[in-house]
């Protein structure tokens, strides 16, 4: 997939003085000033499957079944059954748009995120009167309270287990140390005041839940929706970049140069993000489990990042909701999975984690890392390496091993030379076609932990695998051997500015080589 070239109009708008982005509304105000990045509709849409079906054709991209495309973010102002609600989708469903929202050229987002990790700023707590997220409070103790009527949680397909909160950022704390963690989890609305929550293996909040459950205690959490995109992307870093005890909200602080603001919840002993649009407060109950698709019996959960419907889980923990707080005119934010938005949320932090680790081990050797959309930002990475001598043939493969070590869910790594654009799939496949021989250019690492949502990572697919979520990891070395580099020099064309010959074609385009 080719990455779009940013237009000069967009670049100019992005550089104009503007108010700082510190929440969803300021992010949207910024996008409104840039043509083609945000559209609105007043046409009624059903949140049950129809909304996702519309956006699939507008801007979902990613591993969504074709036809799909990359396009603008979209605000739906007329939600069937919810006369006072709006739903935003696709805010981060384009690498270009993420760059605009994080003040970075798209090709430098890896480095921008890597720098934010190194310069993290811890969050701060503000008084309730300074927290817009608590402008309206709905307590679950009210007999009229019903989560299903209050929040227009969508379904992506007609076979989903139920309505899902697709961008609900869960904030929980270690019962022993008090250290906080934030993660996006699969949250299905199960009743008037109940949600199920799915934890992939190794998630920190699940470790907190297990500690509390072992004591027979509930774990208080907040679910934060409608956020500054820096918070969502910063929250998607994983160990070892963000080990247990590392607060991922500090990465958002590093991105913005100012701390994320928190506030004490109104109904549970936890904090929430002060400038969120919607916050659900609740407790993960000890020793209570629920079938994810108990109301639909579809057997499916929802579309997951590899492009397939995830299986409904037969036994998930339950969050008992205590309250919902909102801003006035609150915006419900969601994503259409498994689209480009998920790729950017998961993939850009993946890139930064790999980049920082390889840079620490071999400075200057890897110039770009791209967590490809075909892997949902998790399963496939392309590393651009800079060979300077024969020893670097081995260093390239070492860089791939570091990448696999630093991001455990990564499945395949493709190595390319510095003359290959890692963001251009045609260029990468060209390198694989002309600089790769399967029997000598492939490294296989069998029986290594991967990701349970990849349907090929099962003993049924490969009897050699001991359990679901274990995989054979592969490195595809598509770099030219250093001693043969002269045989692999690409045809060199004259560098010419084409605008005098085709001024209309290039009138709205900036230099593609902006770095």
């Amino acid at each position: 997939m080719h990455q779009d070239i940013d237009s000069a109009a967009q670049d100019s708008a992005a550089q104009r003085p503007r108010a700082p982005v510190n929440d969803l509304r300021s992010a949207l105000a910024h996008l409104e000033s840039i043509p083609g990045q945000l559209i609105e509709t007043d046409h009624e849409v059903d949140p049950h499957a129809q909304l996702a079906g519309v956006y699939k054709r507008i801007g979902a991209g990613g591993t969504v079944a074709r036809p799909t495309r990359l396009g603008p973010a979209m605000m739906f102002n007329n939600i069937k059954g919810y006369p006072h609600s709006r739903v935003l989708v696709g805010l981060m469903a384009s690498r270009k748009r993420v760059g605009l929202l994080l003040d970075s050229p798209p090709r430098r987002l890896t480095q921008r995120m890597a720098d934010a990790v190194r310069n993290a700023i811890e969050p701060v707590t503000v008084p309730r009167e300074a927290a817009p997220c608590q402008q309206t409070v709905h307590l679950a103790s009210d007999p009229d309270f019903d989560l299903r009527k209050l929040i227009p949680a969508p379904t992506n397909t007609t076979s989903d287990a139920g309505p899902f909160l697709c961008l609900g950022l869960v904030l929980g704390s270690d019962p022993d140390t008090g250290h906080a963690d934030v993660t996006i989890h699969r949250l299905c609305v199960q009743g008037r005041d109940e949600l199920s929550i799915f934890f992939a293996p190794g998630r920190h909040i699940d470790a907190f839940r297990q500690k509390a459950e072992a004591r027979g205690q509930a774990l208080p959490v907040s679910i934060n929706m409608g956020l500054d995109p820096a918070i969502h992307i910063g929250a998607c870093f994983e160990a070892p970049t963000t080990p247990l005890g590392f607060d991922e909200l500090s990465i958002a602080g590093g991105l913005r140069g100012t701390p994320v603001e928190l506030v004490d919840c109104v109904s549970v002993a936890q904090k929430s993000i002060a400038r969120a649009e919607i916050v659900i407060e609740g407790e993960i109950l000890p020793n209570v489990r629920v079938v994810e698709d108990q109301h639909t019996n579809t057997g499916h959960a929802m579309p997951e990042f590899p492009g397939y419907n995830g299986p409904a889980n037969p036994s998930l923990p339950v969050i008992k909701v205590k309250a919902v707080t909102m801003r006035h005119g609150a915006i419900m934010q969601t994503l259409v999975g498994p689209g480009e938005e998920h790729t950017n949320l998961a993939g850009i932090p993946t890139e930064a984690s790999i980049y920082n680790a390889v840079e620490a081990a071999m400075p200057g050797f890897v110039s770009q890392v791209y967590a490809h959309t075909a892997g949902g930002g998790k399963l496939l990475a392309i590393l651009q390496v800079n060979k300077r001598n024969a020893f670097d043939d081995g260093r390239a493969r070492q860089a791939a091993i570091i990448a696999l070590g630093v991001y455990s869910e990564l499945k395949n790594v493709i190595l390319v030379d510095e003359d290959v654009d890692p963001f251009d799939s045609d260029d990468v496949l060209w390198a694989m076609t002309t600089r790769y021989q399967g029997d000598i250019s492939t490294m296989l690492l069998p029986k290594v932990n991967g990701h349970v949502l990849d349907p090929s990572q099962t003993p049924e697919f490969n009897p050699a695998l001991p359990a679901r979520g274990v995989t054979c990891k592969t490195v595809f070395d598509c770099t030219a051997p250093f001693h043969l580099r002269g045989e692999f020099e690409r045809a060199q064309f004259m560098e010419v500015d084409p605008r005098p010959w085709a001024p209309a074609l290039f009138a709205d385009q900036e230099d593609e080589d902006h770095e």
Side-chain angles (χ1 to χ4, degrees), residues 68-92:
T68 186
R69 54 174 287 179
L70 294 183
M74 193 168 185
M75 182 77 80
F76 293 86
N77 295 322
N78 187 355
I79 310 300
K80 183 178 180 180
Y82 299 86
H84 306 296
S85 295
R86 296 179 289 166
V87 175
L88 172 71
V89 64
L91 181 66
M92 294 162 283

Side-chain angles (χ1 to χ4, degrees), residues 285-317:
L285 300 177
N287 304 307
V288 177
R289 301 293 185 269
V290 67
V291 177
E292 193 168 21
D293 64 338
Q294 62 176 329
H295 301 300
T296 61
N297 299 308
T298 64
H300 298 304
M302 62 178 293
E304 285 288 358
F305 74 91
Y308 302 94
N309 283 326
N313 195 291
S315 180
L316 290 181

Side-chain angles (χ1 to χ4, degrees), residues 242-389:
T242 54
L244 194 65
F246 186 103
D247 190 342
E248 290 90 347
L249 291 176
S250 64
I251 299 176
L255 283 168
R256 296 302 187 201
T258 188
V260 173
E261 295 179 346
L262 303 176
V263 65
D264 290 328
C265 291
V266 301
S267 65
V268 296
Q270 189 50 269
K271 296 185 185 296
S272 64
I273 296 172
R275 302 191 66 83
E277 292 288 320
I278 302 170
V279 176
I280 299 174
E281 302 178 0
E283 296 175 332
I284 304 180
L285 300 177
N287 304 307
V288 177
R289 301 293 185 269
V290 67
V291 177
E292 193 168 21
D293 64 338
Q294 62 176 329
H295 301 300
T296 61
N297 299 308
T298 64
H300 298 304
M302 62 178 293
E304 285 288 358
F305 74 91
Y308 302 94
N309 283 326
N313 195 291
S315 180
L316 290 181
V318 171
I319 298 174
K320 195 72 170 179
V321 176
K322 300 297 185 181
V324 174
T325 72
M326 297 182 174
R327 296 180 72 150
H328 295 318
I331 301 168
M332 171 68 186
Q333 186 181 1
T334 189
L335 59 75
V336 170
E340 191 75 10
E341 189 156 16
H342 188 287
T343 293
N344 291 324
L345 281 166
I348 297 171
T350 300
E351 296 165 8
S353 296
I354 293 170
Y355 180 84
N356 270 350
V358 179
E359 181 68 13
M362 44 186 80
F365 185 64
V366 170
S367 53
Q368 288 286 12
V369 180
Y370 175 41
H372 200 288
T373 190
K378 288 178 176 282
L379 302 181
L380 173 62
I382 301 162
L383 275 60
Q384 184 189 58
V385 301
N386 309 304
K387 293 183 181 181
R388 296 293 181 262
N389 52 57

Side-chain angles (χ1 to χ4, degrees), residues 116-199:
V117 174
R118 294 190 296 264
N119 295 280
I121 299 175
E122 292 292 319
V124 298
T125 301
V126 300
R128 286 179 174 156
E129 57 268 23
C133 74
Q134 295 180 358
Q135 290 171 342
T136 302
V137 176
H138 304 269
L139 297 175
S141 57
D142 187 326
D144 295 328
F145 180 92
D146 194 330
L147 195 62
R148 297 164 296 188
K149 298 177 181 178
L150 196 57
I151 299 175
T155 61
N156 274 302
T157 76
T158 56
S159 62
D160 283 8
F164 279 91
L165 308 176
C166 296
L167 276 176
L169 186 70
V170 182
L171 192 159
S173 301
D174 188 319
D176 292 333
T177 67
H179 290 149
D181 189 88
V182 287
T183 326
I184 299 172
H185 293 286
R186 196 165 84 199
L187 300 161
C188 186
V189 180
Q190 298 291 354
R192 66 174 293 275
D193 62 351
E194 288 188 348
L195 301 164
S196 60
I197 181 167
F198 171 79
F199 292 105

